[in-house]
Amino acid sequence: MAFSPKSLLVTGGAGFIGANFIHSFIAGNPGSKVTNLDCLTYAGNLKNLTSLEGNPSYNFVKGDIGDAALVAQKLSEQRVDAVVHFAAESHVDRSITGPEIFVRTNVLGTQVLLEESRKHWQSGIVTDFRFLQISTDEVYGSLGDTGYFTEETPLAANSPYSASKAGADLLVRAYHETFGMPTLNTRCSNNYGPYHFPEKLIPLLIHNIINKSPLPVYGDGLNVRDWLHVRDHAVAIETVLKTAAPGSIYNIGGNNEWKNIDIVNLVCDLLDARLGRASGENRKLITFVKDRLGHDRRYAIDATKLKNDLNWSPSYTFEQGIAETIDWYLANQEWVSEVTSGAYREYCQGQYGGGVS
Ligand code: NAD
Ligand code: DAU
């Protein structure tokens, strides 16, 4: 029988995927409430959620997933029956220059959240419960020219980011195996869409093209990623949460592989037309730069299990999704400039005081 969560604790809901998930979940589940626990790092932006301010189905708590007392209090006070755990340090390049915070947040933070969730679930305060970990395809490491990651592929993380996510992924598995806790784990490919922080490839390209700044392409530009629209990811997460068997793991992917250089060329060309520039003008901004250390060559997800078991498949074509995404950034230049100028941090501080970490 399908699980129907009434009170969600969403961690990291002020970030890119978490905010999109909250919008999607609240729109589709009017009888449920969402508590968003986010400590508002540089990646947390309450401007992603302004349309939900004052909505009785939604409340925001500024706090750290590593704060056991706060997590315990929110779990019990809100009678939480599902934790959807997005909160993380998410950018691979930052994990290369500063890995420590990745271990602290992604591994130790997840462990605190798991432990408080276990106590809450075992207290019997709610009749049914799920803990859903938002993992990543990066835990599988890197592929050659052929083949796909399946849920059976051994974990072989290569960057400090992916190693910290693999640690969290295995801790979630361990809480199911050891305590029988009803956990779920999803491993998704690269997302794109609204509210994506412009340090990541696609929003960085759009921002730099608009401003006629160089477009840094790492190495030879032939690394391959599988791209999925963030709203398709949000629907997949809700599907797994409600219908997957406890203890299960699902890959989520777009069946949409692109070489980086091809994405760069595509975004350049789409923006030539939209910005009234001559054909080929934006491609002149492309600048090949030193490669990312340990740069994984290719990711490709086999999401057959999710299709066969739970009947999920993406609804966006890439053609539609990338066009809509570019149009969203063009229509939301104020959001972008508040992020790039840092003004969003003042907004967050003004709302919740005490400084933003
Ligand atoms: P993001 O960097 O945009 O957002 C992360 C959010 O977590 C921010 O709002 C931040 O303030 C919050 N946060 C960080 N540390 C915290 C802490 N200690 N306590 C509370 N909140 C904290 O990330 P994203 O791209 O939205 O990714 C969300 C999740 O999805 C991550 O777990 C990431 O590993 C995973 N994921 C991302 C992608 C992708 O393409 N972006 C793909 C697969 C999986
Ligand atoms: O695969 C899922 C992962 O996708 C998530 O787990 C991560 O949280 C998310 O950040 C993303 O990781 P990537 O490293 O794949 O994304 P990023 O946008 O940083 O880079 C995409 C590709 O583009 C990658 O091969 C590196 C390259 N790149 C990136 C940047 C920022 C460039 O060539 N130039 C750039 O300036």
Side-chain angles (χ1 to χ4, degrees):
M1 210 178 72
F3 170 62
S4 180
K6 295 278 172 292
S7 177
L8 267 63
L9 180 69
V10 172
T11 71
F16 164 49
I17 307 176
N20 277 285
F21 173 79
I22 290 174
H23 283 298
S24 166
F25 190 87
I26 286 185
N29 296 271
S32 303
K33 59 181 177 173
V34 169
T35 301
N36 174 14
L37 174 67
D38 195 304
C39 72
L40 301 177
T41 67
Y42 79 95
N45 184 356
L46 292 174
K47 289 268 177 175
N48 300 350
L49 297 156
T50 44
S51 64
L52 291 174
E53 281 168 17
N55 185 324
S57 300
Y58 171 76
N59 78 90
F60 176 74
V61 177
K62 182 177 184 292
D64 196 308
I65 54 166
D67 181 343
L70 177 66
V71 170
Q73 184 202 338
K74 292 300 157 192
L75 287 169
S76 107
E77 173 192 292
Q78 298 294 327
R79 299 180 71 82
V80 168
D81 54 6
V83 174
V84 183
H85 178 31
F86 295 94
E89 289 295 330
S90 69
H91 193 40
V92 174
D93 292 329
R94 287 177 187 257
S95 83
I96 295 166
T97 50
E100 198 253 341
I101 185 67
F102 283 74
V103 176
R104 192 141 37 92
T105 297
N106 300 358
V107 184
L108 297 177
T110 300
Q111 194 277 324
V112 170
L113 200 60
L114 276 166
E115 186 58 13
E116 294 313 314
S117 296
R118 177 184 71 77
K119 292 184 208 157
H120 171 72
W121 161 64
Q122 288 181 330
S123 76
I125 193 169
V126 287
T127 48
D128 208 352
F129 182 78
R130 298 286 186 278
F131 184 106
L132 199 167
Q133 168 71 7
I134 309 300
S135 190
T136 168
D137 62 357
E138 297 204 11
V139 298
Y140 296 122
S142 183
L143 291 165
D145 289 343
T146 58
Y148 295 89
F149 298 131
T150 74
E151 291 82 356
E152 310 304 320
T153 303
L155 304 197
N158 291 320
S159 72
Y161 162 71
S162 51
S164 68
K165 290 295 290 184
D169 188 309
L170 289 172
L171 277 168
V172 172
R173 175 187 147 83
Y175 269 68
H176 177 71
E177 296 298 319
T178 307
F179 304 112
M181 191 162 130
T183 63
L184 298 161
N185 206 324
T186 58
R187 298 175 182 151
C188 190
S189 59
N190 285 61
N191 286 214
Y192 69 98
Y195 306 122
H196 206 178
F197 197 87
E199 65 185 348
K200 308 282 169 48
L201 181 67
I202 287 180
L204 178 86
L205 292 173
I206 299 170
H207 176 67
N208 285 11
I209 290 170
I210 291 170
N211 293 292
K212 299 190 174 177
S213 301
L215 309 176
V217 176
Y218 298 164
D220 60 8
L222 299 180
N223 300 64
V224 174
R225 297 292 182 265
D226 167 43
W227 293 93
L228 178 72
H229 195 282
V230 66
R231 291 194 186 120
D232 277 330
H233 189 190
V235 173
I237 291 166
E238 184 174 337
T239 304
V240 170
L241 179 66
K242 289 180 171 175
T243 57
S248 50
I249 297 172
Y250 282 95
N251 282 349
I252 305 174
N255 201 16
N256 178 42
E257 287 181 52
W258 285 77
K259 292 188 182 81
N260 290 340
I261 190 65
D262 293 337
I263 290 263
V264 177
N265 285 331
L266 175 71
V267 175
C268 283
D269 296 349
L270 289 170
L271 274 161
D272 277 340
R274 282 164 172 77
L275 297 172
R277 295 180 188 165
S279 173
E281 190 64 22
N282 289 329
R283 289 192 188 202
K284 292 181 190 157
L285 298 168
I286 294 172
T287 311
F288 286 89
V289 298
K290 197 165 162 289
D291 208 356
R292 173 185 279 175
L293 293 177
H295 195 175
D296 285 336
R297 193 62 170 170
R298 174 171 167 260
Y299 303 145
I301 275 282
D302 179 345
T304 310
K305 184 181 171 198
L306 185 55
K307 167 78 182 145
N308 288 350
D309 287 5
L310 309 182
N311 199 27
W312 175 91
S313 47
S315 67
Y316 279 85
T317 62
F318 190 61
E319 193 182 29
Q320 174 201 4
I322 195 73
E324 274 186 32
T325 300
I326 289 173
D327 290 337
W328 186 90
Y329 279 89
L330 288 171
N332 289 275
Q333 280 297 293
E334 193 183 327
W335 180 91
V336 179
S337 63
E338 281 176 349
V339 170
T340 50
S341 72
Y344 74 110
R345 292 168 72 83
E346 283 155 35
Y347 176 78
C348 294
Q349 269 165 350
Q351 294 258 308
Y352 291 94
V356 176
S357 56

